[in-house]
Amino acid sequence: MERPDWAPTGVDPTVPSVARVYDYYLGGSHNFAADRTFAAGVLRALPGMARVAQENRAFLRRAVSHLAALGVDQFLDLGSGIPTVGNVHEVARAACGPAARVVYVDHDPVAVAHGRALLSDDPTAAIVQADLTDVEPVLAHPIVSDHLDLDRPVAVLLISVLHFVPDAADPAGILRRYAAGLAGGGFVAVSHASSEGVPAAEDAEAVYNRAGSPHSMRMRSAAEVEQLLAGIELLPPGVVRIPLWRPDPLDDVPVDAATYPGYAVVARVEPG
Amino acid sequence: MTDPGRLAAAWAEAVRGTSFVPLRLGELRSLLHRLTRDLVAAAEGADPASAEKVGRALVEAHFTNPESLRRTIVVIGDQVPGAVVAALAAGYAQALQDRTLLEQERITSAAVTALREAQAAEWQTQARYRAVFAEAHFGISLADVDGRILDVNNTLCRLFGYSPGEFRGRDFTLFTHPSDDPAIWQRVADMVAGRVDRIRTDKAYYRADGTEIWTDLVLTLIRDVDGAPSVIVAMLEDVTERRRLEGRLRHQAGHDPLTDLPNRATFYSRLAADLAAGRPVGVCYLDLDGFKEVNDTLGHGAGDALLRVVARRLRTGADPALVARMGGDEFIVLVRDEDAARTEEVARRVLDVIREPVEIDGHIVTVSASAGVATSACPVVRDVQRDPADPAAELLTAADTTLLWAKGDGRDRCAVYDPHRHRAELAREELAAAIPEALRTGAIEPHFQLLIRLSDGRPCGAEALARWRRPDGTFRSPAEFVRLAEEHGTVGALGQHLLRTACTHAVSLCLPDPFVLSVNVSAQQVHDPDFEAQVMDVLDGSGWPAAALQLELTESDLMETGGRPLQALTALAGRGVSIAIDDFGTGYSNLAYLHSLPVTVVKLAGPFVGDPVNTGLLDAVITMAHALGLGVTAEEIETAEQARVLRDLGCDTGQGFFFSRVHPPHELAGALGLPTAAPTSG
């Protein structure tokens, strides 16, 4: 049964939250026992899960730096989770200087309350509580229009979040509508969990799809990820395993990169 | 101690990948170079405790994984004094603890904030809900699935006249009413069982004071988080007034406002329903005689009062039959008639009660009514024009037709439907309706009977007579259709058609000279303002000379003629057209009066001619006509003796079977070659 509109969601510390579980993977302490218990179940299925989260953070850093080099200084981070260390506005400010503008979007009220406290003194970054699948309301949100000029290029970041959007919600359509909303064009950066060639990742996916999970998960193959971006121009190297997306020259590419349980891609949106 | 540069490189190699937020290799190296210098300073200086900040820096760089500290100690443990390693570890642990506490505090605070916001939103929603509940226009009650009322709002209390305390704890399923749809309580049971989520119905209740209210009731099932039925919300809108109004409007729509009798529509639907159900019924159609006079002499107010009295008497007199007012002074009674005789009985009874004098505004008024009775037992002649079959309409038409018979037979009486009479009337109607088409197609055509000059027995003209050819080639006589044409206003067209076709045919023949073509015209035709022009139009169009045309009018038609029609006849006479008076001797036969009309010929009617005792009268009439300058034609001469007597009396011309039968157009020429005058003697 559908919950009534006014019922509080995500504020119960005894129920795990996607954002706090992710924080735990990243070694943070912004989490409660229920989050850690759930995360432990995932880690049993896929012990490398913590590293997966770290590689996602590393991809986020590389992607934001690359996009800054392409002239982007506005970022819309959808499904941002708890904006802790290594977050977009810090990376963006390092890469773009003080002109960088960032808006985070998450539906988790605790993550948003945390983000609001963290960003309260920062005029260049803000957080909006919204469901990223509500495309038009998100783009029309006053905080978004206060911080971002959609007539100039904007990078939409969907880091480790689209696998929480089921097929029934039409993730490809959601991407198309975000792209259509970028009047001044820009980019879409996506990282996505995948069990392709990684049987253990299937077990992790199953844990997310069990009762007691904060959210169901739909991992996708490289072809499916490419399908999500159909009609949008992919930047080289296209859809690749996350560590292989434009690695830093100085960093060693992990030997197991080819069986890393996730894909990354960045695409260019032409001005509307 | 190893070279600080090499130590930093080894350190970086050891800990890279253990940070939760990976640094670029370059960033990591420069961080660890700096920290190595700090370690060296701590080892060489007097303050080993300053190595604590190195441990703190590692935590700040997100090396929060215990593996980072273990590898760090492995790399630097034998390069710096134990006190320095201990300080680094202590600083690391302290920083990690600080950080963990800070993050826990922050996330807890965020959770509390989020919860508080959610609660505030919920409280606002609840406050709004309380306001809606209390102030609603609807009466609202909440009940558990056992039917126990948990709460009610003020509106509901006002509606029912109970206090909230009187409602609470009572079972809402006990609020029954005799008019309840039995199915409704089954649906409520379905709702309690979770099979139905919403019910809407009109339902009546008794108020505390015993009066009745009608409500538009909506029941909504609220389920708990597991989907199990938990609360039933009832919303009731008071629709008592609306229903009363609807009832009144329904009554008004089906009743006549003056008499409050059912109206035509109500009657019709009742009749149709009875007939559809195969119930034997009779219909008595009534119309007051002389109602217009009451209206005209005593005023419409008195007329209305009379109608109300009649309505009242009909209702009691015809009880239990249904009485309706059809409009004006027409009423109708619907009788359940098992033996097809009861309706007539009811009709006679109501005619009796209507005949009773009525006092209106101090005047004693006596009226009567005429009634037409038709019953479903008697087959009704269907008007083939009306399609599809509508038995109710047909029975009404039958009764209405019968009412006209009663009126025509002298009013204040009851006529019973007779299908034979109706069929004959319908046949006449059909024939009348076919006249225009028969004129158009030429099925009505002129036939001719010769006019004979009695002095020498030679033909000197012909009378054109209308005949209507049937599809089988036989002919209808004018007696069948001329009267119909008069009644239906088509006789003018008929006369004009006859005149045109007769003239056209006559022109086509090589006729003896002189020759008179005599054509009948009707009073209606002569009264047409265009009559003169129409005749002249035929003459001009056909080329038939005016002097050779004779128009025949009956004596009575001519006597009615005055003013403009007379002017037209006079004008035509002035152009040389002869005017003959037809059937002379059957009406007033006022020769003196004829003198003032433009008449030139008198045609003596058949009965007048055929009676031998009339010889003296014939002599007088012929002498008188001649004295007035009029020619005389004798009609219907059937014997040589009649022809001889008339010739001897000086009658100018004659016609009849003795000389010639009536010929169709193509025989006229042949007939003219056969002179059959009686032999002249003395």
Short mmCIF file of all heavy atoms in Angstrom, two decimals, chain B residues 5-27:
data_model
loop_
_atom_site.label_atom_id
_atom_site.label_comp_id
_atom_site.label_asym_id
_atom_site.label_seq_id
_atom_site.Cartn_x
_atom_site.Cartn_y
_atom_site.Cartn_z
N GLY B 5 63.68 11.10 1.83
CA GLY B 5 63.00 10.97 0.53
C GLY B 5 62.63 9.53 0.25
O GLY B 5 61.51 9.22 -0.15
N ARG B 6 63.55 8.62 0.51
CA ARG B 6 63.27 7.22 0.23
C ARG B 6 62.24 6.67 1.21
O ARG B 6 61.38 5.86 0.84
CB ARG B 6 64.56 6.41 0.31
CG ARG B 6 65.41 6.61 -0.97
CD ARG B 6 66.73 5.90 -0.94
NE ARG B 6 66.58 4.50 -0.62
CZ ARG B 6 67.59 3.75 -0.13
NH1 ARG B 6 68.76 4.33 0.11
NH2 ARG B 6 67.42 2.49 0.13
N LEU B 7 62.33 7.17 2.46
CA LEU B 7 61.35 6.72 3.45
C LEU B 7 59.92 7.13 3.02
O LEU B 7 58.97 6.33 3.06
CB LEU B 7 61.68 7.34 4.82
CG LEU B 7 60.73 6.94 5.96
CD1 LEU B 7 60.70 5.42 6.17
CD2 LEU B 7 61.11 7.65 7.25
N ALA B 8 59.81 8.41 2.56
CA ALA B 8 58.49 8.90 2.13
C ALA B 8 57.95 8.07 0.97
O ALA B 8 56.75 7.71 0.93
CB ALA B 8 58.57 10.38 1.73
N ALA B 9 58.84 7.71 0.01
CA ALA B 9 58.41 6.92 -1.15
C ALA B 9 57.94 5.54 -0.71
O ALA B 9 56.89 5.04 -1.17
CB ALA B 9 59.55 6.81 -2.16
N ALA B 10 58.70 4.91 0.21
CA ALA B 10 58.31 3.58 0.69
C ALA B 10 56.98 3.65 1.43
O ALA B 10 56.10 2.78 1.30
CB ALA B 10 59.41 3.04 1.62
N TRP B 11 56.84 4.73 2.22
CA TRP B 11 55.61 4.93 2.99
C TRP B 11 54.41 5.05 2.03
O TRP B 11 53.38 4.38 2.19
CB TRP B 11 55.78 6.19 3.85
CG TRP B 11 54.73 6.34 4.93
CD1 TRP B 11 53.77 5.49 5.29
CD2 TRP B 11 54.60 7.51 5.79
NE1 TRP B 11 53.02 5.98 6.32
CE2 TRP B 11 53.51 7.24 6.65
CE3 TRP B 11 55.30 8.71 5.93
CZ2 TRP B 11 53.09 8.15 7.63
CZ3 TRP B 11 54.89 9.60 6.90
CH2 TRP B 11 53.78 9.34 7.74
N ALA B 12 54.57 5.88 1.00
CA ALA B 12 53.49 6.08 0.04
C ALA B 12 53.11 4.76 -0.62
O ALA B 12 51.92 4.43 -0.78
CB ALA B 12 53.89 7.10 -1.02
N GLU B 13 54.14 3.99 -1.00
CA GLU B 13 53.90 2.71 -1.65
C GLU B 13 53.10 1.78 -0.72
O GLU B 13 52.20 1.05 -1.17
CB GLU B 13 55.25 2.06 -2.00
CG GLU B 13 55.15 0.99 -3.06
CD GLU B 13 54.42 1.45 -4.33
OE1 GLU B 13 54.69 2.59 -4.82
OE2 GLU B 13 53.54 0.70 -4.81
N ALA B 14 53.42 1.88 0.59
CA ALA B 14 52.76 0.98 1.56
C ALA B 14 51.29 1.34 1.78
O ALA B 14 50.43 0.44 1.87
CB ALA B 14 53.52 1.01 2.90
N VAL B 15 50.99 2.62 1.86
CA VAL B 15 49.61 2.97 2.28
C VAL B 15 48.67 3.33 1.13
O VAL B 15 47.47 3.47 1.35
CB VAL B 15 49.62 4.14 3.30
CG1 VAL B 15 50.40 3.77 4.54
CG2 VAL B 15 50.15 5.42 2.67
N ARG B 16 49.27 3.47 -0.07
CA ARG B 16 48.34 3.88 -1.14
C ARG B 16 47.27 2.79 -1.32
O ARG B 16 47.53 1.61 -1.21
CB ARG B 16 49.06 4.16 -2.44
CG ARG B 16 49.65 2.97 -3.13
CD ARG B 16 50.40 3.38 -4.37
NE ARG B 16 49.47 3.74 -5.43
CZ ARG B 16 49.80 3.65 -6.73
NH1 ARG B 16 51.02 3.25 -7.08
NH2 ARG B 16 48.95 3.99 -7.64
N GLY B 17 46.06 3.27 -1.56
CA GLY B 17 44.94 2.32 -1.71
C GLY B 17 44.28 1.99 -0.40
O GLY B 17 43.23 1.36 -0.39
N THR B 18 44.86 2.42 0.72
CA THR B 18 44.17 2.15 1.97
C THR B 18 43.29 3.32 2.40
O THR B 18 42.51 3.22 3.33
CB THR B 18 45.17 1.85 3.12
OG1 THR B 18 45.99 2.99 3.32
CG2 THR B 18 46.04 0.64 2.79
N SER B 19 43.43 4.46 1.71
CA SER B 19 42.56 5.59 2.02
C SER B 19 41.16 5.34 1.46
O SER B 19 41.02 4.73 0.40
CB SER B 19 43.11 6.88 1.41
OG SER B 19 42.10 7.86 1.40
N PHE B 20 40.15 5.79 2.19
CA PHE B 20 38.79 5.63 1.68
C PHE B 20 38.49 6.62 0.57
O PHE B 20 37.58 6.42 -0.22
CB PHE B 20 37.77 5.80 2.82
CG PHE B 20 37.66 4.56 3.65
CD1 PHE B 20 38.29 4.46 4.87
CD2 PHE B 20 36.95 3.46 3.18
CE1 PHE B 20 38.20 3.31 5.62
CE2 PHE B 20 36.86 2.31 3.93
CZ PHE B 20 37.49 2.22 5.16
N VAL B 21 39.26 7.73 0.55
CA VAL B 21 39.07 8.67 -0.55
C VAL B 21 40.41 8.78 -1.26
O VAL B 21 41.29 9.51 -0.83
CB VAL B 21 38.62 10.05 -0.04
CG1 VAL B 21 38.39 10.99 -1.20
CG2 VAL B 21 37.34 9.88 0.78
N PRO B 22 40.57 8.03 -2.32
CA PRO B 22 41.90 7.91 -2.90
C PRO B 22 42.45 9.26 -3.36
O PRO B 22 41.75 10.05 -3.97
CB PRO B 22 41.68 6.97 -4.08
CG PRO B 22 40.21 6.91 -4.31
CD PRO B 22 39.54 7.30 -3.05
N LEU B 23 43.68 9.48 -3.01
CA LEU B 23 44.39 10.68 -3.49
C LEU B 23 45.11 10.31 -4.77
O LEU B 23 45.43 9.15 -5.00
CB LEU B 23 45.41 11.13 -2.44
CG LEU B 23 44.86 11.61 -1.10
CD1 LEU B 23 46.03 11.97 -0.19
CD2 LEU B 23 43.95 12.80 -1.30
N ARG B 24 45.38 11.34 -5.55
CA ARG B 24 46.27 11.10 -6.68
C ARG B 24 47.65 10.74 -6.12
O ARG B 24 48.02 11.22 -5.04
CB ARG B 24 46.39 12.35 -7.54
CG ARG B 24 45.16 12.62 -8.37
CD ARG B 24 45.54 13.69 -9.39
NE ARG B 24 44.41 14.00 -10.27
CZ ARG B 24 43.46 14.88 -9.98
NH1 ARG B 24 43.51 15.54 -8.84
NH2 ARG B 24 42.49 15.11 -10.83
N LEU B 25 48.40 9.97 -6.85
CA LEU B 25 49.72 9.52 -6.38
C LEU B 25 50.60 10.71 -6.04
O LEU B 25 51.28 10.74 -5.00
CB LEU B 25 50.37 8.63 -7.43
CG LEU B 25 51.66 7.93 -7.00
CD1 LEU B 25 51.42 7.07 -5.74
CD2 LEU B 25 52.23 7.07 -8.12
N GLY B 26 50.55 11.73 -6.87
CA GLY B 26 51.38 12.93 -6.64
C GLY B 26 51.00 13.61 -5.33
O GLY B 26 51.88 14.01 -4.54
N GLU B 27 49.70 13.73 -5.11
CA GLU B 27 49.22 14.36 -3.88
C GLU B 27 49.67 13.55 -2.67
O GLU B 27 50.09 14.11 -1.65
CB GLU B 27 47.68 14.44 -3.89
CG GLU B 27 47.13 15.42 -4.89
CD GLU B 27 45.61 15.29 -5.06
OE1 GLU B 27 45.04 14.23 -4.65
OE2 GLU B 27 45.00 16.22 -5.60
#
